[in-house]
Amino acid sequence: MPHKTKSLLLALAATHALVPRANPKNGRLQRTRLHEKPIDSDEMASLYQELRARQSDVEADRAQTLERWRTGGCSSTVAVAASDWVRRMAFDGGTVAFGTASGGVGCCRVGQGPSRADVVKAHPRAVEGQDLSKLHGAYDGGGVTAIDMAGRVVVSGGRGGQVQVHRAVSNGDSLTLEAVTTLDVSVGSTVSSVAVADDGKTLVACALDGSIQGFSCENDEWQATWSSKNDAAALTVILDEERDACVVGFSDGEVYALDVNTGNELCEPFTTATGAGCRSLLVSDGHLFVGGADGSVVRRKLCVDTFAIHPSQLILETKADRLLPPHGDAVVAMCAPPCGGIVCTASRDGSIRVWDSAAREPRALYGFQGFKVWIGSLCASADTLISDGSDNAIIQHTFDRDAEARAPVDPSLERRG
């Protein structure tokens, strides 16, 4: 039995056994010593049984949730109906933050029905002369180009080369955003991606001119901590907090891993076998997944203690290291639910796919169709998959106990050789 569980049971039993001595003369309560009553074996057995039953229920619920993820057992609803086209979105703890085509940023809780949120102006809709084709392809929808959140901290990036830090504040049943500060990443360029640590005190942003900038917050003051520059456009950045790394993907296909606190390189940069630009990144189940601008997804095994490609995978990728078939256009976002063994990808081809990533050769399980070319974000929690790409709506797929199993909607997802 785990030591913590045993200690908890003994503590509970001892609590039940502590009783005050009654005054034998008058029966009135007086200050007196406590004595321990012998632990009742039947009571202890009952406590053990309750804990085992609870553990069994948790494990069964986890297994059922994973099965729903694998079979598509979900219900699909509109989570947020914004007043403008949604271009980027982030999701954390039942709260969604989003950026719009006009440069606004909003935040709201996700409930049973569509939520609406007030939007504050944060970024320009467009900047004359900027070329965002490496980020958006031929479909630049305007406005916010990057967003992430951690708890009540919301960070957005735009076409002015800056990030805006906001704080979500409760206002009755709704949330409003209060401006905290503006941080320069690369003025004159476009912020392409931002990533915020879980504690909301560290963030890394990158820009299309190849700039990467780290920031930290101490005593409610945000400061730049390090910077780096690459010749190619930086298209995506994620944080791997387990290995204290930030991982950046570039338009020439190279992937760099940097120390999140210093910006120092943690390993040699590498390029995927497809040679396409790196459009999205994900760390899940001990692997790095690289989403390409050509629709490819490549899986690379990582070392356990530090961010580096495992020695067994320093050679060219094999069939087992690719998620096939590829998407028809750039893979713009990826995510994974905490249950493990599942990876979700979103592409500019208008589809979202759910993959069995635990298999020796990953395979597509099913997909969702009908999204627009402006899809840019995909997030997952234990029982929710949520995305933009539906004009002004944010769509959530909920894999809860009440969801009915649904059949795959994309017949093209059969495994190819």
Side-chain angles (χ1 to χ4, degrees), residues 173-185:
D173 294 333
S174 62
L175 294 173
T176 58
L177 289 178
E178 291 183 353
V180 175
T181 189
T182 300
L183 303 172
D184 291 340
V185 179

Side-chain angles (χ1 to χ4, degrees), residues 35-102:
H35 73 283
E36 291 190 5
K37 176 182 175 182
I39 298 176
D40 187 286
S41 60
D42 291 338
E43 184 178 11
M44 181 65 75
S46 176
L47 288 172
Y48 278 129
Q49 185 176 4
E50 289 179 10
L51 278 180
R52 284 194 295 267
R54 174 57 181 160
Q55 182 178 2
S56 178
D57 290 343
V58 170
E59 291 176 352
D61 186 61
R62 185 182 296 116
Q64 291 169 7
T65 300
L66 176 57
E67 183 62 18
R68 286 191 288 268
W69 274 100
R70 293 180 61 84
T71 60
C74 66
S75 57
S76 303
T77 57
V78 174
V80 177
S83 57
D84 191 7
W85 303 146
V86 176
R87 291 293 176 252
R88 291 291 185 271
M89 176 219 68
F91 179 64
D92 185 33
T95 301
V96 64
F98 60 92
T100 71
S102 298

Side-chain angles (χ1 to χ4, degrees), residues 21-41:
R21 293 173 183 259
N23 190 313
K25 295 183 179 180
N26 52 29
R28 291 182 299 175
L29 294 177
Q30 296 182 353
R31 182 180 301 172
T32 184
R33 294 177 58 193
L34 298 178
H35 73 283
E36 291 190 5
K37 176 182 175 182
I39 298 176
D40 187 286
S41 60

